[in-house]
Amino acid sequence: MSENKEFYKSVYKIAVPVTLQSLLMALLNLTDQLMVGQLGDVAIASVGISTKIYGIIAVVLAGLSTGVSIYAAQFWGNKDSKSVSQVLGLGLIAGFTFSFLFSAAVFLDSPLFLSLFTTDVNVIDEGYIFLQVMSIGFVPVMLTMMYSAILRSTGHAKWPMYVSLISVGLNIILNYVLIYGHFGAPALGLKGAAIATLISRILECLLIIGAVYRYRLPGAVGLKNLFIIPKPLIRKFFGTTYPLLLTELIWVLGETVYAIIYSRMGSTEMTAMTITFPLQGLCIGLLSGLASAAGVMVGNRLGADETELALDHAKRFIRLGIIISLIVGVIIAAGSKLYVSAFNISEDAKQMSMYIVIVFAGFLWVKVSNMIIAGGILNSGGDSKFVFTLESTTTWLIGVPSGLLLSYVWNQPVYLVYLVISLEEVVRFGFGYTRIYSRKWIRNLVHDVVEKAM
């Protein structure tokens, strides 16, 4: 009984802060859209395209931070705080190199980057200032992500949540002041939105690093212990991390193709699909904490060479994810009509949206299970090459071809296209679940690294 209590106490300690942080970011995105949406079509388009450009660096940093999390969790389980700091240093070196170069390129020629996505002269002329200001925040974003990865992997997930709460609150206030010119400030419009976001990101970065050193949290070391990194760790880290980067890239490309498929089916279909995105993002964010907790707790056990306990934790997380997501799915399906009625759209679009919401609700349990299995458990054992193979093959051999066939060749309704595309998740679940029980993913990644470094 005490073991059960300890398990759920650890889940609560990690999953709840990550979930709340995801919800905070969803709230910020929604608020940004509403505030910028008052500035007109050009402003909305500029922000949309800038978000896509930011998505490029976000993909790379997400892969790097996941790699940092994997090794930090195992080192922490092995009670090796020195190596936790070294893997943070490795993430900072790689992250700074990419984010600084990308930031400099975007800052120096923002119109070029915008022109890759649009030929609208108005969007380029007005949007480049927004993108230029935003690019200054790429390095602070990297620092926040790397330190947050360390804190979550060592059981200190509440700190990134606290910092995000402050950052999101400040961003909303600054948006109100700088976009519209309240409290005596000039009305800067789109530029004001960019400045608000930049200030919030810099503050978030300073707060997270300040908390680490003020309270002597993991990663609070001098430069010598942070950046003197043993070669065996460098080789293993990048051997594990490059498939993570490829997996993130494959996911972005796949989502882009799906968006193109839906948009080319017609404006009504695209509207029906688009209004379900906030609900989908909210649900996935609500349950994302389980995947993070799985990665940390299973990784800790692997680093401590407690393989049976790691497998037991993995099975528990899968069961827990299925139970919670089934309950949430039933609630979503029951409220689908009420949700779509909140939008001022045509009756046809409302009907399509309701069907899409119901399909999403039906597949939610498998989507969440795959987050836990691939993003949490398998990656915690360094099984990133298998995860990349699984993600890429199911997306490009099942999801994309079936979506193209049903929409362009057989002219099926959008909710049926979405349903068939979602079947890739079922296939992914089958292979991932089998992999869990094969035990091939169960590896202590840090034992030999420490030995070779000594």
Side-chain angles (χ1 to χ4, degrees):
M1 186 64 183
S2 60
E3 184 180 326
N4 280 338
K5 284 185 177 180
E6 188 64 30
F7 174 81
Y8 289 110
K9 182 180 178 181
S10 297
V11 172
Y12 177 83
K13 184 179 178 182
I14 300 170
V16 172
V18 173
T19 296
L20 290 177
Q21 188 176 9
S22 297
L23 295 178
L24 284 171
M25 297 314 297
L27 174 63
L28 174 61
N29 291 334
L30 178 61
T31 305
D32 273 348
Q33 288 176 4
L34 291 173
M35 289 185 172
V36 173
Q38 307 303 312
L39 300 177
D41 293 347
V42 172
I44 295 172
S46 299
V47 172
I49 294 172
S50 297
T51 301
K52 291 180 180 178
I53 294 170
Y54 170 73
I56 297 171
I57 190 170
V59 165
V60 177
L61 295 181
L64 279 174
S65 64
T66 302
V68 168
S69 295
I70 291 169
Y71 281 89
Q74 290 215 12
F75 279 129
W76 192 251
N78 196 37
K79 296 179 171 44
D80 184 357
S81 57
K82 179 181 178 181
S83 294
V84 169
S85 299
Q86 289 174 340
V87 80
L88 169 61
L90 190 51
L92 290 175
I93 292 170
F96 179 80
T97 301
F98 179 80
S99 59
F100 177 78
L101 292 176
F102 191 74
S103 175
V106 174
F107 182 84
L108 293 173
D109 202 347
S110 295
L112 173 64
F113 282 86
L114 288 170
S115 66
L116 297 175
F117 293 87
T118 182
T119 57
D120 190 321
V121 176
N122 291 327
V123 172
I124 295 174
D125 287 344
E126 293 190 29
Y128 89 90
I129 297 177
F130 178 85
L131 181 59
Q132 193 173 58
V133 174
M134 290 281 289
S135 68
I136 302 172
F138 291 167
V139 172
V141 166
M142 179 277 299
L143 292 169
T144 299
M145 290 179 69
M146 296 305 158
Y147 276 95
S148 295
I150 289 293
L151 293 176
R152 292 194 190 104
S153 299
T154 55
H156 298 84
K158 65 180 182 180
W159 289 103
M161 180 195 69
Y162 292 154
V163 169
S164 288
L165 178 61
I166 297 171
S167 174
V168 167
L170 178 65
N171 201 339
I172 292 173
I173 293 170
L174 289 177
N175 271 344
Y176 179 75
V177 173
L178 297 178
I179 293 176
Y180 306 117
H182 293 290
F183 303 113
L188 299 176
L190 195 58
K191 185 178 181 180
I195 293 173
T197 301
L198 174 61
I199 293 173
S200 300
R201 286 177 173 171
I202 292 174
L203 177 69
E204 185 177 29
C205 167
L206 294 176
L207 286 176
I208 199 77
I209 297 175
V212 166
Y213 282 91
R214 170 67 177 80
Y215 297 101
R216 306 306 299 173
L217 301 173
V221 297
L223 294 181
K224 181 178 180 180
N225 290 326
L226 196 61
F227 295 120
I228 298 179
I229 306 162
K231 290 183 179 179
L233 176 57
I234 296 174
R235 287 194 295 269
K236 290 204 72 172
F237 177 83
F238 285 107
T240 303
T241 302
Y242 86 84
L244 297 172
L245 298 175
L246 293 176
T247 301
E248 294 287 342
L249 178 61
I250 286 293
W251 179 81
V252 169
L253 291 175
E255 290 299 308
T256 301
V257 172
Y258 293 149
I260 292 172
I261 289 173
Y262 299 135
S263 64
R264 290 180 179 269
M265 292 183 72
S267 58
T268 302
E269 286 79 1
M270 188 58 196
T271 298
M273 180 59 70
T274 300
I275 69 168
T276 69
F277 290 158
L279 179 64
Q280 293 189 37
L282 183 65
C283 292
I284 295 301
L286 185 64
L287 297 165
S288 62
L290 287 174
S292 295
V296 172
M297 291 173 61
V298 174
N300 288 163
R301 301 284 69 78
L302 292 174
D305 279 328
E306 298 172 344
T307 56
E308 293 305 317
L309 192 55
L311 183 59
D312 176 71
H313 280 6
K315 293 176 182 177
R316 287 192 186 198
F317 270 109
I318 296 170
R319 288 196 298 268
L320 186 62
I322 290 174
I323 292 170
I324 295 176
S325 54
L326 281 174
I327 294 171
V328 174
V330 170
I331 295 172
I332 293 170
S336 59
K337 188 174 182 179
L338 180 64
Y339 175 77
V340 300
S341 67
F343 294 86
N344 184 23
I345 55 177
S346 68
E347 288 302 317
D348 285 344
K350 284 184 179 179
Q351 192 68 30
M352 289 181 189
S353 294
M354 189 174 71
Y355 291 150
I356 293 168
V357 170
I358 292 172
V359 171
F360 170 73
F363 280 95
L364 181 61
W365 72 271
V366 75
K367 290 177 182 289
V368 172
S369 297
N370 286 334
M371 281 169 46
I372 294 171
I373 291 171
I377 298 168
L378 296 181
N379 277 338
S380 72
D383 207 16
S384 54
K385 291 180 182 178
F386 175 83
V387 172
F388 166 70
T389 303
L390 180 63
E391 297 276 348
S392 58
T393 52
T394 52
T395 297
W396 294 97
L397 296 183
I398 299 175
V400 170
S402 61
L404 292 171
L405 283 173
L406 266 77
S407 59
Y408 295 154
V409 179
W410 296 324
N411 298 314
Q412 296 300 306
V414 64
Y415 53 84
L416 184 59
V417 175
Y418 178 60
L419 186 151
V420 175
I421 285 176
S422 297
L423 290 175
E424 73 168 81
E425 297 278 2
V426 178
V427 177
R428 193 176 296 160
F429 174 78
F431 281 104
Y433 194 76
T434 302
R435 185 73 170 184
I436 294 292
Y437 278 85
S438 74
R439 306 170 68 99
K440 294 179 181 178
W441 59 277
I442 298 179
R443 291 193 293 271
N444 183 324
L445 300 171
V446 301
H447 181 67
D448 61 332
V449 171
V450 176
E451 279 190 343
K452 290 176 183 177
M454 292 177 64

